[in-house]
Amino acid sequence: MNGETPISIRRLSVYYGDLQVLKDVSLDIPARKITVIIGPSGCGKTTLLKSLNRLLDTAEGVRVRGQVLLDGEDIYAPRTEVTRIRKKMGLLSQKPQVLPMSIYENVAYGPRLHGLKSKKELARRVEHYLRVAGLWDEVRDRLREPASTLSVGQQQRLCLARGLAVEPEIILGDEPTSALDPQSSQNVERRLLELKRDYTVVVVTHILRQARRIADHLAFLYLGELVEQGPAAEVFAGPRDPRTRAYLTGEIS
């Protein structure tokens, strides 16, 4: 991972057909910190997150202008290998999406797909990342059971383990606790706070309390524009833009 800003977004605009969803966004994502993207519903938060690993490619009629630099490489350059870019990113979606296979196979799937064949190394990696996700002690005797038998909170941590097992550099979270109960949400937040020691983390959330708890760096989007960004403590304590202040105080939502 390069330097202190592994991701640099430069004048990024995204269009769905004729609708412009992101407007000339420029943002540096600091390394080994949690960057939280906040803003009202429909402001472009998830679109910005999906632009970082080219998940926007899966939608019809999408046009992207500007640059997203990952370790200095423009991921939207014509010859960029998308699979390699996505391998660098682990993604947590709003709702956990476990694969229709065992708990063990969910974690082993990615490494096996990328060519890891050693059963011993696969077993080591499965155990290691289940431990990192805080799930090993709960499932160590159930590894051959279907992943669908886990609770929703456990499934989300399994998805985290699965994403980490391909050894990415960056973790993306699209409202990763929105479908979880309070205790499961705390578990996921705790894991993210631990993981920032080794990973760069970018999280979209609509929960301001959560942003206050986990954010090192904050980016506020409003109507597709990056209104304000900076160290989270500074933005929360003294927002410079009146729109940021209005959002943080609940005047706009």
Side-chain angles (χ1 to χ4, degrees):
M1 185 179 295
N2 286 352
E4 294 305 310
T5 53
I7 302 176
S8 294
I9 302 164
R10 293 288 176 264
R11 304 196 66 176
L12 182 70
S13 293
V14 176
Y15 301 79
Y16 292 129
D18 294 329
L19 177 65
Q20 187 172 3
V21 180
L22 290 181
K23 304 172 182 177
D24 209 29
V25 171
S26 293
L27 175 66
D28 288 330
I29 305 292
R32 289 175 295 280
K33 296 184 183 298
I34 299 179
T35 296
V36 175
I37 303 168
I38 60 171
S41 296
C43 69
K45 301 188 299 295
T46 294
T47 296
L48 179 58
L49 192 77
K50 287 182 175 181
S51 75
L52 302 183
N53 66 352
R54 289 194 52 170
L55 272 181
L56 294 178
D57 293 12
T58 62
E60 287 189 23
V62 174
R63 289 180 293 127
V64 178
R65 294 179 180 171
Q67 292 181 310
V68 176
L69 303 175
L70 176 61
D71 293 337
E73 177 187 5
D74 182 5
I75 70 171
Y76 285 96
R79 296 185 180 180
T80 299
E81 185 185 348
V82 178
T83 302
R84 179 174 53 80
I85 295 299
R86 289 181 183 158
K87 187 178 182 294
K88 293 186 176 185
M89 311 259 184
L91 177 66
L92 273 180
S93 301
Q94 291 184 32
K95 294 182 180 179
Q97 298 174 340
V98 297
L99 301 174
M101 52 186 68
S102 71
I103 294 166
Y104 180 96
E105 289 299 330
N106 261 266
V107 184
Y109 179 81
R112 191 178 278 127
L113 189 67
H114 289 288
L116 182 60
K117 296 179 180 179
S118 165
K119 290 183 178 180
K120 183 177 180 180
E121 175 58 21
L122 276 172
R124 185 204 67 80
R125 198 175 292 194
V126 168
E127 177 178 345
H128 175 72
Y129 288 109
L130 285 172
R131 286 187 183 278
V132 171
L135 195 56
W136 174 252
D137 290 339
E138 298 169 43
V139 303
R140 60 191 303 171
D141 298 322
R142 304 171 55 191
L143 294 177
R144 300 303 172 183
E145 294 182 14
S148 58
T149 62
L150 298 175
S151 71
V152 175
Q154 288 174 323
Q155 288 183 28
Q156 189 66 306
R157 282 183 284 149
L158 178 63
C159 290
L160 177 59
R162 187 179 73 210
L164 294 174
V166 297
E167 300 185 335
E169 298 176 7
I170 294 157
I171 299 169
L172 307 178
D174 184 9
E175 300 196 19
T177 65
S178 63
L180 306 183
D181 61 82
Q183 184 174 357
S184 296
S185 296
Q186 289 177 7
N187 275 333
V188 171
E189 287 183 15
R190 192 178 305 120
R191 298 304 156 194
L192 293 176
L193 288 167
E194 292 170 354
L195 287 167
K196 73 177 182 181
R197 291 177 297 193
D198 300 305
Y199 300 88
T200 298
V201 182
V202 187
V203 174
V204 163
T205 185
H206 66 280
I207 306 169
L208 282 177
R209 295 187 305 279
Q210 181 175 75
R212 290 180 186 274
R213 287 192 296 267
I214 69 172
D216 299 301
H217 198 81
L218 200 67
F220 172 57
L221 286 181
Y222 188 66
L223 299 178
E225 296 181 23
L226 179 62
V227 173
E228 188 162 349
Q229 59 89 23
E234 293 180 12
V235 176
F236 279 123
R240 298 184 301 274
D241 192 286
R243 291 169 293 179
T244 311
R245 190 176 304 110
Y247 181 71
L248 294 179
T249 58
E251 294 175 41
I252 58 175
S253 60

